Amino acid sequence: MKQQQANKCRFNSTYREKVLLKDGTQVTLRLVMPADKLLLAHGMDNFSPESRYHRFLGAKNALSDADLHYLTEIDGVDHFALGALVQPNEGIGVARYVRFGEDHKVAEPAIAVLDAYQNKGLGRFLFTRLMAAARERGIQRFHGSMLSDNKPMKSLLHAVGHKICLEYKGPIVEFEMPIDK
């Protein structure tokens, strides 16, 4: 049933989009698939320790088999993910959301872009497409947490959202933003 719902959306298993980064790099956006486990594991190896720390809100050196299963075996509706590739076998970024329990109108987003491709517009491409996919699936707002010193993510949220609410709780910042139409 969920797969049928996802297939009726623009962002479905056949979705492919070519985008150009600020430096002229051509990137293909597509949905994350179960076969992407090695791409994600390799991508994790290419993150700086600081990027890993910001993405996982703590130290994490590698993705376990359980992590890789969770990150790639997704339904495309309640758990959705887009990947960015510079070649068929080189992943450079991922944007995903996961719906919150009972409130199907809220989801938690996450963005990860390899250090070598940061500050080139990829995060913005991924986040805007993630918001569009979420809207297609009935999500009305994003809610999440990040480290308070994660300046790139704060900048990205302000660049793509109109009404961002930030609540500082020590080293963690919770954010909420509507997904405008």
Side-chain angles (χ1 to χ4, degrees):
M1 185 64 160
K2 286 184 182 182
Q3 191 60 43
Q4 289 175 332
Q5 179 184 355
N7 285 337
K8 293 179 183 177
C9 296
R10 171 185 173 213
F11 296 94
N12 63 34
S13 60
T14 64
Y15 166 76
R16 299 281 184 284
E17 182 179 1
K18 303 255 188 229
V19 296
L20 281 178
L21 302 185
K22 292 176 185 176
D23 67 353
T25 302
Q26 185 172 341
V27 175
T28 300
L29 305 180
R30 65 160 173 79
L31 273 59
V32 169
M33 302 178 288
D36 292 335
K37 288 176 182 64
L38 289 176
L39 288 177
L40 266 66
H42 182 68
M44 183 70 162
D45 293 341
N46 289 310
F47 272 127
S48 68
E50 180 182 9
S51 290
R52 279 190 226 126
Y53 189 78
H54 280 144
R55 169 59 187 89
F56 295 100
L57 306 180
K60 187 166 183 84
N61 292 322
L63 296 172
S64 68
D65 288 342
D67 292 334
L68 292 169
H69 178 81
Y70 174 76
L71 295 171
T72 60
E73 306 279 338
I74 56 181
D75 65 20
V77 177
D78 293 332
H79 184 174
F80 176 88
L82 286 173
L85 298 100
V86 288
Q87 299 175 28
N89 60 350
E90 187 179 352
I92 61 170
V94 175
R96 75 179 59 248
Y97 74 73
V98 179
R99 280 190 210 252
F100 277 93
E102 298 296 317
D103 191 347
H104 288 275
K105 295 179 181 176
V106 181
E108 181 176 15
I111 307 283
V113 174
L114 291 183
D115 294 70
Y117 293 91
Q118 291 178 9
N119 300 309
K120 297 179 181 186
L122 180 57
R124 188 176 187 136
F125 278 124
L126 286 168
F127 206 92
T128 57
R129 294 342 182 255
L130 186 68
M131 290 189 304
R135 275 192 303 272
E136 283 183 334
R137 289 152 175 84
I139 295 170
Q140 296 177 357
R141 65 187 193 282
F142 281 155
H143 178 91
S145 300
M146 65 182 152
L147 293 171
S148 60
D149 67 345
N150 191 343
K151 292 177 185 174
M153 187 62 185
K154 283 191 233 176
S155 291
L156 180 59
L157 287 172
H158 286 293
V160 300
H162 302 289
K163 299 175 186 175
I164 308 298
C165 179
L166 299 175
E167 185 177 344
Y168 289 79
K169 297 181 174 184
I172 302 294
V173 178
E174 289 189 9
F175 64 88
E176 186 150 329
M177 63 179 283
I179 302 173
D180 298 327
K181 293 190 183 222

